Each structure stands twice: as structure tokens, then as C-alpha cells.
Amino acid sequence: MRISQYLLATVKETPADAEIISHKLMIRAGLVRKLASGLYNWLPLGLKVLNNIEKIVREEMNKSGAMEVLMPIVQHAELWHESDRWEQMGEELLRFKDRHSRDFCLGPTHEEVITDLVRGEYTSYKQLPAIFYQIQTKFRDERRPRFGVMRAREFIMKDAYSFHINEESLQNTYEQMYQTYYNIFQRLGLNFRSVVADSGSIGGNTSHEFHVLADSGEDEIVFSTKGDYAANIELAVGNLAIKNSSEARKDSEIVNTGSEHSVEAVAGLLNIGVYKIIKTLIVHGEDEEGNISDELIALLLRGDQELNEIKAQKLQGVASPLKFASDELITKKIGCGVGCLGPSNLKLRKIADHSVENLFNFTCGANQPGKHITNMNWSEGCAYDEVADIRKVQENDYSLDGGGILSVKRGIEVGHIFQLGKKYSDALNATVLDSGGKAVTMLMGCYGIGVSRLVAASIEQNHDQKGIVWPENIAPFQLIIVQIDAHKSRQVADLSDSTYEKCIEMGIEVLMDDRDKKTSPGVKFAESELIGIPHRLVISSRSLAEDAVEYTHRQHGEKQKVKTNDLIQFLVKLLSS
RNA sequence: CGGGGUAUAGCGCAGCCUGGUAGCGCAUCUGCUUUGGGAGCAGAGGGUCGUUGGUUCGAAUCCAGCUACCCCGACCA
């Protein structure tokens, strides 16, 4: 492609509404343009990258034996009523009516559609297992789209679904998909980790997420320095060192803490460690039908620890999603507001985190305005009803297995695999006959990759001061030829033209900067670096004086002179792999 | 959905407080010069100031509603 004929939509200024580096660079390099919140146009350069990533995903999926299909993005409500998700999904599901006033939605995922398809086509256990996948646009009406294509409302996803006659088969395919995902992210040259994950609203039990490591990631992932333990922080578990077990027990004392409410402020006032304070959080309960109630529940945590809301809301009787009680309600029921609460003489259901189980001589609120109790110990008047793990794991906790230390890093979720079990096949009555001629409900797995998100994730890991540094297998072009002074030098014009033609003949993805004298060399260099083309040839009268052209590698910046006679040989060697 | 903010030329912004002539940088177009790191000079084009209404002799500016977008928190590839 010749740049003079191409939409190279680079911008010099950093866009004001971009926060993270990949978003800034995707706008600056002219890969995407925003249409509306969470909706993006893919420009020619960006689409080439997206297509390259799709190609790798497709190759590896095909290699795994999965069959590619394409399902509609518009789905009718009936299917969603069958799975009971029409109501469950909430605002994320964009619903609308057709001309006959029938309910439809834009597909945020395709469990219902694929299950409907398979139940119509599959009749025998002999046809299983079967894996289907598609690479297609999804729409999720996100509350807050952000970070460009990283969290867009409309995005490209590779979603796959597998069907099985038994658990063993599901497990096998799950492991095979795990390996396929591993291969895909490996080929994309990403620094990634797989972690045990919460399956969330999609249902099912076993689940793993694949995260690209990046400081801008929205997720926190935890892994052990020894052994294989790795998990999303939402469900990560770890052990804390017990800090004051050897201390002799003292007598408790009520102290005035005035207007100090936060754990840090109280610790400072009393000159004690934050870890010796018990933090009391009050949340709403839930009745047997799952409706939020006004019954309040106290959650007890060590002062230096944070609540893991996901863990807490999974507990029996705790409102899900978790809802903190308002200050007014707490004051009404307990007699003092947030900031002076404690387990002593508190007439609520009290759930203690493991971190407070072994505390001695601790400080907690006295349930009276402006007062705390110091040197408290667990006793009849100050007790908890049950112990649970409701703590957010922290850096340097001890791993439960392997004896390692836990490390917390930020990640971008680019893949998620689930064992769904019979959730959808049961709801939609997707059965096949087993060897005994009996109808059995199929087991399912589902496997997603955020393809458009991968473009952004890759940039997060592959950039420098000057711009994007594409890995070769996803770069929009392999080679950029920059011609300088072509209007002055016949030789420059001829050599760059002939080299360009030769590259096309050889099947090399080549971009030629043939813009005229109005585009200065500086602009050409800066833009070639911004858009991150791996290899660059500069053809100018300066180097031609030595009968050579100049080659630069984008990643390590290493330059070399290549004699014009050796040029084609050089390119063949460089780019034929 | 709660809290905060923004809306003026293709992009980035000033002007608003204190009402009266539509402004800057980049980009674009023309000409000349320049040519190895986002060029210089001269000229030109381009805006119903998000939208609806109100106040006023007069509104980009003051007031109200609406809409869109962005940021911070709970959900997700």
C-alpha cells in the first residue's frame, strides 16, 4: 500500500479523553475512531491488526477440532425466556421490538442460540463431543464503557461452546480448550497468566480466566511464588501471619476517641497498630427468596484487611449483590453510627473473618458515639456467631498450597473458560440418546476470547516512547519503505518503486511512504514509529551515495546499511519466515 | 445507577466571572522557500458557540429544562 493512497489517520496531540496508553496510541496511530460512547469505527490500519489476531485465533481453534459457525447478532426473546435470562440479565441486555412488537435483543453472548441449534441437529451420543465457535460482534450495554476498545459496548468476541455426553468428556474438552487458549496467547506474544475464576452470572462451576499482565488492567489477580496457585482476587484465598499471639491478655477499657472514625485515625490516636483493631462492617441480609431485607449483619475484619465483597455476598443470608447499610439505619438499630461499631454486646448476626479469629488485646468500637474499647478479648459478651473467609487477599500473604508467598498483580481479562454443566441444556431441553436409547441432557462448556480487546492489550505490552511496537505476527504491515527526496532524486524514486513492487510480488505486507515533498522526513520517521511497523527501510540520496539503503528494526532500534545489490536477498532473509 | 465535570472550526483549547466585533494553536487549501527527526514566510477557506426555552434593547456569556460525552465507585470478553 502506498501512503499517498491510504488513510493514515495519525494525530500529533494526545486525545483528551483517553486515559490509558493503548487507548491514546490507538487514536494517535489512527487504528480506531469513536462513533459514540463504547462504539468504535475500525480504520484500515486497525482492522488489519484485528484481522491478524482473528486469523491466529481461528487457526488455533480449527486445530483444536472446533467447527466455525456464525450466529445472528439479533436474537428473539423467547429463547431468553426459556433460559430465564430475559429478566435476569438486567440493563446490560439491549432489548427492542420489531415491527410486529415482538421482543428482541442484541446478543451479548450466545449460549441460548447455540443450545437451540444443537438440540435441533444432534440426536445421538455418537455425535459428541462437539465444539462450535464463532468470531462475531457482541453488544453489551455496559454501565460505563471506558478505555477505548478495552471496554466497549460493541466488541468482537470469539465465543465457543462444547457439548458432551458425560463429565469426563467435558473435562477433556475443557483441558483441550485451556491448552488452545494457552497456545493462542503464546503465539500473540503476550505476557499472560491463567487464574482460577469466579464463574459469575453465566453459571457453572469450574472456570479459568486468562489475563494479560498490565498495570492498567481492571482486574487483580493473585499468584503464588511457588507452586501453581493462581486466582482472581475475587475468590483468592491465602493465610495471614498471626501477629500478636504471644502477648499476655490484658483487661479491657473504654476510651474516648472523639470524632475519630477511620481505623487509621483511631490507631493513630491510641498509638497502636492498625492490625490490632477490629473493623465492623454492617450489611443488609437477604430473605429465603433472595430479596434484600432490613435484617442487618455485622462483618468483622482485622483493621489492616479489606473486605472481599464477592466472597461476602456468597454467604447464606447475606444480600447479593452486597449492600452496605446506611448510616441512618445503623444509628437507628444500634444507637451509634459507623465508626464506633464493634462486636461487643452487638445484637446482630456476626460473621468473623479468619483474620480476627486469633486476635488478642484488640481494639474495637464500643457501639457508643465517640467511644472504643481497647485490650478487648473474645468472651461471652464479645463473640462472633461464625467464621468465614471474607477477606481480600493481600500481597505477601502465605499461599495455602506449595508454601509460597502470594503476589498481587493487575491484569486485563482476555479469555474466560467455563464448565457450564447442564444450566442451559436443562433449561432448553437439549438432549441426545445414550447407548441405552435413553434421552440424556447434554453437558456444556463455553469459552470466550475478547478479540478486539486483545488489540488494546497487546499495545499495553508492546509500546515505547515513540509509539506502538507491534509483534511481527499481528503487525498491520511487515515493512515500511520511507523514501526521502524522491522529487529530487530519480534514483531514490526508482529504487523505492522497484523495491516496493518486488515486495508485493514476494507477498510481503509492505507500506510505502511515497508522500511528496510537503511531508518532511521527520514526519515520516515519527509516523513510521508511531504506527509500529516492525521493519523500516529508508531510501534516500544520502545512503545511495554509498550505494546502500538504511534498515532499522522498530523494536531494538538497531540500524544497518544494506548494499542495494544485496537488498532483495536481505528482505527475503528478513521476512520469509 | 450514585457522585463530579465538560460541550465554542476537522482536532486541542481560550473567551463566559463583569452581556455589545467569533478568537488562538494544530490540521486543510494556494504560492514561494526548506528537505535526515512532527519546517518557515505570505495568503485563503471553515463555526445557527450541543439543544430547547427564559431574562434583556441585545446572550457563546446570566437562568432553567433536555441531550451527549468524560472522570471516580458497584458489573464483565
Side-chain angles (χ1 to χ4, degrees), chain A residues 194-430:
Chain A
S194 67
V195 301
V196 175
D198 185 43
S199 49
S201 63
I202 202 162
N205 25 52
T206 305
S207 169
H208 285 84
E209 289 169 349
F210 289 79
H211 286 266
V212 168
L213 299 185
D215 290 338
S216 61
E218 295 184 87
D219 286 275
E220 285 184 290
I221 55 174
V222 176
F223 41 91
S224 175
T225 51
K226 282 185 201 162
D228 295 332
Y229 185 73
N232 189 300
I233 196 144
E234 290 174 354
L235 71 165
V237 292
N239 277 336
L240 275 173
I242 296 168
K243 294 200 176 177
N244 59 343
S245 56
S246 61
E247 206 175 296
R249 295 182 197 196
K250 299 177 185 166
D251 292 328
S252 67
E253 190 185 342
I254 294 184
V255 296
N256 284 315
T257 44
S259 59
E260 301 296 3
H261 287 320
S262 74
V263 171
E264 288 73 23
V266 170
L269 184 73
L270 301 175
N271 197 24
I272 53 173
V274 176
Y275 71 91
K276 291 194 76 173
I277 294 182
I278 286 187
K279 194 152 70 172
T280 306
L281 305 170
I282 309 291
V283 297
H284 282 265
E286 188 176 72
D287 65 22
E288 278 162 19
E289 275 131 43
N291 298 313
I292 190 161
S293 72
D294 268 354
E295 185 217 337
L296 298 184
I297 298 170
L299 305 176
L300 309 176
L301 278 158
R302 206 169 81 180
D304 61 341
Q305 300 300 312
E306 275 184 65
L307 178 70
N308 180 324
E309 299 192 13
I310 305 284
K311 287 180 184 174
Q313 73 192 20
K314 280 184 185 165
L315 295 174
Q316 193 71 34
V318 173
S320 177
L322 196 73
K323 191 185 174 198
F324 286 98
S326 68
D327 214 11
E328 296 83 62
L329 187 62
I330 293 172
T331 307
K332 195 175 127 201
K333 293 221 176 186
I334 301 174
C336 83
V338 174
C340 302
L341 299 169
S344 176
N345 287 319
L346 182 64
K347 306 255 176 310
L348 296 178
R349 177 181 169 200
K350 294 181 284 286
I351 303 172
D353 180 68
H354 292 294
S355 61
V356 302
E357 223 180 340
N358 297 308
L359 276 188
F360 289 77
N361 300 331
F362 53 82
T363 296
C364 59
N367 298 324
Q368 297 170 40
K371 294 191 191 305
H372 278 75
I373 308 174
T374 57
N375 292 322
M376 196 64 193
N377 285 289
W378 297 118
S379 59
E380 207 171 305
C382 180
Y384 42 81
D385 302 297
E386 59 207 278
V387 180
D389 175 26
I390 52 173
R391 184 178 68 89
K392 195 169 158 182
V393 164
Q394 293 183 339
E395 183 90 19
N396 294 329
D397 282 357
Y398 294 101
S399 174
L400 292 188
D401 62 56
I405 302 288
L406 295 183
S407 164
V408 180
K409 288 213 188 308
R410 300 201 75 88
I412 299 164
E413 186 186 349
V414 291
H416 201 159
I417 59 178
F418 307 79
Q419 290 188 20
L420 294 173
K422 295 183 178 176
K423 179 173 163 139
Y424 297 94
S425 45
D426 242 347
L428 300 192
N429 196 29

Side-chain angles (χ1 to χ4, degrees), chain A residues 99-234:
Chain A
R99 66 199 299 163
H100 306 293
S101 280
R102 291 185 287 234
D103 286 316
F104 282 85
C105 63
L106 287 184
T109 176
H110 281 70
E111 282 82 13
E112 281 82 359
V113 177
I114 191 71
T115 308
D116 176 62
L117 181 68
V118 168
R119 73 178 163 182
E121 304 299 328
Y122 278 63
T123 49
S124 162
Y125 75 99
K126 291 178 187 166
Q127 297 169 292
L128 301 182
I131 313 170
F132 295 97
Y133 79 97
Q134 64 173 345
I135 297 175
Q136 185 231 27
T137 298
K138 295 281 182 282
F139 190 92
R140 295 183 187 174
D141 202 354
E142 292 279 347
R143 296 160 200 218
R144 184 143 97 85
R146 57 184 138 170
F147 304 148
V149 301
M150 194 74 91
R151 175 168 302 284
R153 292 194 293 173
E154 187 177 304
F155 60 99
I156 310 284
M157 177 160 140
K158 188 286 301 175
D159 48 327
Y161 308 89
S162 67
F163 294 83
H164 310 273
I165 189 69
N166 57 31
E167 289 282 353
E168 190 193 352
S169 167
L170 172 58
Q171 184 63 33
N172 284 342
T173 297
Y174 187 82
E175 282 165 20
Q176 185 189 341
M177 280 297 135
Y178 185 98
Q179 188 57 49
T180 297
Y181 274 39
Y182 196 90
N183 296 344
I184 288 170
F185 299 127
Q186 197 79 35
R187 270 185 74 181
L188 291 173
L190 295 165
N191 180 11
F192 69 98
R193 294 280 188 286
S194 67
V195 301
V196 175
D198 185 43
S199 49
S201 63
I202 202 162
N205 25 52
T206 305
S207 169
H208 285 84
E209 289 169 349
F210 289 79
H211 286 266
V212 168
L213 299 185
D215 290 338
S216 61
E218 295 184 87
D219 286 275
E220 285 184 290
I221 55 174
V222 176
F223 41 91
S224 175
T225 51
K226 282 185 201 162
D228 295 332
Y229 185 73
N232 189 300
I233 196 144
E234 290 174 354

Side-chain angles (χ1 to χ4, degrees), chain A residues 503-514:
Chain A
C503 284
I504 289 181
E505 247 173 65
M506 293 192 293
I508 295 169
E509 284 284 343
V510 58
L511 187 65
M512 175 150 89
D513 198 341
D514 60 340

